[in-house]
Amino acid sequence: MNPPNWLRALGRVSLWVWASLGLLFLFTPILVTVIYSFNEPTGKYNYVWNKFSLAGWSDPFKYPELTDALIFSLKIAVSVTIIATILGTLIGLAMVKYKFRAKGVIGAILILPLTMPEVVLGFSLLTLFVAVNWSRGFVTIIIAQVMFSVSYVATTVRARIRGFDWRLEEASLDLGASPFRTFYKVTLPLIAPGVIAAAMLTFALSLDDFIITYLNSGLDNTFPIQIWNMKRSKVPVQINVFSTALLVISIALALLLVVFNNRRSRKLAGLAA
Amino acid sequence: MTAAAAPSRFRRPRRENGGDDSGVSARRWFTPWLLIAPGGLWLLIFFIIPLFSLGRLSLQDGGFSNYSTVISDNSTVIIRTFVYATISTIAAIIIGYPLAYVIATKGGKYKNLLLALVVLPFFVTYLVRTLSWKILLFDGGPAVSIFRSLGVLSENQGILGSPFAVVAALTYNFLPFMVLPIYVSLEKLDRRLLDAAADLYSSPARAFRKITLRLSLPGLFAGTLLTFIPAAGDFVNSELLGSERTVMIGNIIEKNFGKEFFRPELSALSFMLMAIILVGVIIYARLLGTEEIA
């Protein structure tokens, strides 16, 4: 039995309204972050709107501990992205291109870190570092972040390169190209979009990660850890300034990637025609 | 290396060096493991072994009594943790499913733009996002004024420090993890099935239940895990937006992980958190009948 038309129309409208509210829910805190970078807070905490000001933007590096933490975070993110992208891509390639025993086990081990709360992952890693008396800092942060990023990279790359025509590699080898040249000229261009996507994801995850990093950071402070440590003494507007700047840069990079991918697929389509 | 790499037209059937096929197949057998080894060793040393180290530590100075101590000392906190995680996951389904549905089925050419809006929160770091919630829920902030004018809150009541603040922010922080997998499964859905259902006199509601909902179960399953698990292990939202009334398991670990004498009990607590989640995941997979994707 079909419901009357007016009821269906009502249903459709309320679905749209509900979905828009959902988007608004996701969007509002981000908007707040941006807007409050232009605030001039009355006290030490940038929680209540006072008045519009460019003070934060004209003096973004006012708190050296915050700036240093951001630079430290970027260093970590670059290192983690390089290591995890290489390790994860290799695993992704192995999972897609080869049949081998224990593939299921490897797949399960890859998924497992994603099904565990960060606090458990972080704390268990900490118990290992404590057991072997390894002092926490830059290196242990990288170890911790690579650990969960490898899974993300392998999963992303695996999903993106599934179903490719790997005979292209054999064709290249048969036509006399060296394995290195084949990798460089055939394999890499094929898997590049997946690898770039995975690398960007890793970079974002690294900058974003707090819980695992915090438990294994010792006395070194990433940007989120610095905010965490400051929260009882001050929450300056510079936090919002840096976050807004990072947001704008990320959006620009994402747009650039979209343009690049479109151009690439147009070029490939042109080749096929 | 160079000899093996020498280009040959007849790679597969016969090699120059007298049909030494075994070398080739040995390399074939090896190649995937060579590719997996670096990342695999990393996971073995820094993920698998630490879990064992955690398990061992949880039995130190007291054996299984560590578990009973930790459970009886923190029963309220443990129950609260799972209640909060459950409520925020259900809220994320209620908000996220319709959103994913609208984007996947009615998004048209704006699909990618709408998806970009869904993942936009990830471009602002987790702690800052949560601080934005603090701004939104602050006394005298917009949410408090709205609730006061609606009469939900009296003049001297606030939101910060309440379970509501923590659950709302947990829902918010992990909502994209709910939307994306549901979107992916709805996007793959063959719309002709719905046409067929309509042709066969199925009501839209029935078609939704029997086709759309059923085929999106894998996405719903993945989304639930990706929301519930981080919510159950979180301490950031409770610390920034809650009070001593909203302490979760994560907060106990966060407060004490630096204290050496406390580590066996904390290990027991972490291990228990992990075990409860794993059991929950298995039961949930059975209920939904989606074992194959688990």
Side-chain angles (χ1 to χ4, degrees):
Chain A
M1 202 183 68
N2 278 324
N5 274 339
W6 64 266
L7 194 63
R8 299 184 63 177
L10 185 71
R12 211 172 303 140
V13 170
S14 44
L15 183 65
W16 274 101
V17 170
W18 190 246
S20 316
L21 286 177
L23 270 186
L24 192 70
F25 181 62
L26 280 169
F27 197 65
T28 310
I30 307 303
L31 202 63
V32 166
T33 302
V34 175
I35 292 174
Y36 273 64
S37 74
F38 298 103
N39 189 18
E40 191 184 302
T42 41
K44 284 178 175 169
Y45 299 94
N46 184 18
Y47 290 150
V48 178
W49 182 260
N50 179 31
K51 65 173 191 212
F52 181 86
S53 151
L54 287 172
W57 285 93
S58 58
D59 192 8
F61 307 120
K62 185 172 173 188
Y63 298 93
E65 65 271 41
L66 203 60
T67 314
D68 292 347
L70 186 65
I71 293 169
F72 186 72
S73 267
L74 291 172
K75 276 185 198 159
I76 299 256
V78 170
S79 323
V80 168
T81 303
I82 292 170
I83 301 172
T85 305
I86 294 172
L87 299 186
T89 302
L90 293 179
I91 296 181
L93 275 174
M95 299 293 278
V96 172
K97 284 179 62 178
Y98 298 92
K99 279 203 179 88
F100 54 98
R101 259 186 288 166
K103 196 178 201 168
V105 177
I106 301 281
I109 291 175
L110 280 178
I111 296 288
L112 217 52
L114 311 182
T115 65
M116 258 173 218
E118 278 195 54
V119 72
V120 174
L121 287 179
F123 189 68
S124 65
L125 193 54
L126 175 70
T127 62
L128 176 81
F129 290 144
V130 168
V132 298
N133 218 346
W134 195 338
S135 69
R136 271 76 70 199
F138 185 72
V139 176
T140 54
I141 294 176
I142 290 178
I143 287 175
Q145 294 196 353
V146 168
M147 181 261 290
F148 65 81
S149 304
V150 164
S151 292
Y152 280 105
V153 175
T155 315
T156 309
V157 169
R158 190 183 174 187
R160 292 286 286 265
I161 66 176
R162 196 173 274 167
F164 278 176
D165 190 355
W166 301 107
R167 286 174 306 179
L168 288 173
E169 286 181 339
E170 287 180 29
S172 159
L173 288 169
D174 283 355
L175 291 170
S178 70
F180 180 74
R181 196 177 151 87
T182 300
F183 180 79
Y184 194 71
K185 285 277 184 187
V186 179
T187 317
L188 205 56
L190 265 180
I191 65 174
V195 174
I196 292 173
M200 287 183 75
L201 178 70
T202 308
F203 195 85
L205 285 172
S206 165
L207 276 187
D208 195 46
D209 186 70
F210 173 64
I211 295 181
I212 294 182
T213 309
Y214 179 59
L215 292 174
N216 291 287
S217 63
L219 296 173
D220 285 342
N221 291 336
T222 61
F223 185 58
I225 294 175
Q226 184 59 43
I227 296 173
W228 185 259
N229 292 340
M230 286 166 108
K231 70 183 186 298
R232 296 218 184 277
S233 57
K234 56 179 175 291
V235 178
V237 70
Q238 275 75 10
I239 292 175
N240 295 59
V241 171
F242 283 147
S243 303
T244 306
L246 284 175
L247 175 71
V248 172
I249 294 171
S250 318
I251 293 175
L253 278 178
L255 285 178
L256 214 66
L257 191 72
V258 169
V259 172
F260 167 78
N261 271 345
N262 279 348
R263 189 171 292 172
R264 186 171 180 277
S265 52
R266 226 176 291 141
K267 215 163 110 188
L268 286 179
L271 280 179
Chain B
M1 188 67 199
T2 39
S8 161
R9 247 163 228 277
F10 309 105
R11 284 172 64 249
R12 189 76 54 71
R14 213 177 288 163
R15 310 283 305 188
E16 300 94 319
N17 50 358
D20 180 21
D21 214 12
S22 63
V24 176
S25 62
R27 256 196 335 154
R28 286 248 166 91
W29 173 86
F30 240 80
T31 331
W33 290 105
L34 280 180
L35 293 174
I36 287 172
L41 281 178
W42 200 291
L43 283 175
L44 179 72
I45 298 172
F46 300 118
F47 168 59
I48 311 264
I49 291 178
L51 286 181
F52 284 101
S53 141
L54 183 76
R56 215 195 49 177
L57 190 62
S58 76
L59 297 173
Q60 225 174 54
D61 341 310
F64 283 102
S65 71
N66 286 341
Y67 283 86
S68 43
T69 313
V70 129
I71 291 174
S72 58
D73 284 359
N74 301 296
S75 51
T76 328
V77 172
I78 294 168
I79 292 168
R80 182 188 292 137
T81 301
F82 287 101
V83 169
Y84 284 7
T86 307
I87 297 176
S88 58
T89 305
I90 292 170
I93 294 175
I94 293 171
I95 301 170
Y97 196 102
L99 182 56
Y101 181 83
V102 166
I103 296 177
T105 59
K106 313 198 190 302
K109 60 180 174 176
Y110 298 111
K111 226 179 237 180
N112 287 331
L113 179 71
L114 291 170
L115 272 183
L117 286 179
V118 169
V119 296
L120 196 68
F122 291 148
F123 288 175
V124 170
T125 195
Y126 181 43
L127 270 178
V128 175
R129 265 183 276 153
T130 314
L131 280 179
S132 284
W133 270 90
K134 192 151 189 168
I135 293 174
L136 282 167
L137 302 179
F138 215 74
D139 283 349
V144 171
S145 346
I146 291 173
F147 280 124
R148 276 184 189 159
S149 65
L150 288 174
V152 181
L153 291 175
S154 65
E155 276 312 307
N156 48 13
Q157 269 181 314
I159 299 177
L160 277 180
S162 69
F164 174 81
V166 178
V167 172
L170 282 173
T171 308
Y172 166 76
N173 268 319
F174 306 118
L175 182 59
F177 289 125
M178 180 64 81
V179 177
L180 291 178
I182 296 178
Y183 167 82
V184 169
S185 59
L186 285 173
E187 157 90 322
K188 280 191 295 202
L189 188 113
D190 188 348
R191 301 297 295 282
R192 287 172 305 181
L193 290 173
L194 294 173
D195 295 340
D199 287 349
L200 295 168
Y201 300 107
S202 161
S203 73
R206 195 179 148 89
F208 175 81
R209 216 174 53 237
K210 292 272 176 186
I211 298 169
T212 313
L213 191 59
R214 181 148 305 177
L215 290 176
S216 65
L217 279 185
L220 194 63
F221 179 76
T224 306
L225 297 195
L226 291 175
T227 314
F228 184 83
I229 293 166
D234 188 75
F235 60 78
V236 173
N237 290 277
S238 175
E239 172 74 25
L240 290 180
L241 307 166
S243 57
E244 60 279 18
R245 283 191 295 147
T246 64
V247 171
M248 297 170 72
I249 294 177
N251 297 84
I252 294 188
I253 297 173
E254 189 268 324
K255 285 276 178 304
N256 301 298
F257 76 94
K259 302 172 191 158
E260 209 157 321
F261 66 94
F262 209 60
R263 283 195 186 121
E265 282 175 33
L266 284 189
S267 306
L269 195 61
S270 314
F271 221 76
M272 194 202 58
L273 175 64
M274 186 179 79
I276 295 179
I277 287 176
L278 280 182
V279 170
V281 167
I282 293 167
I283 293 173
Y284 184 63
R286 283 278 156 80
L287 282 180
L288 277 187
T290 46
E291 282 120 297
E292 69 270 20
I293 47 149

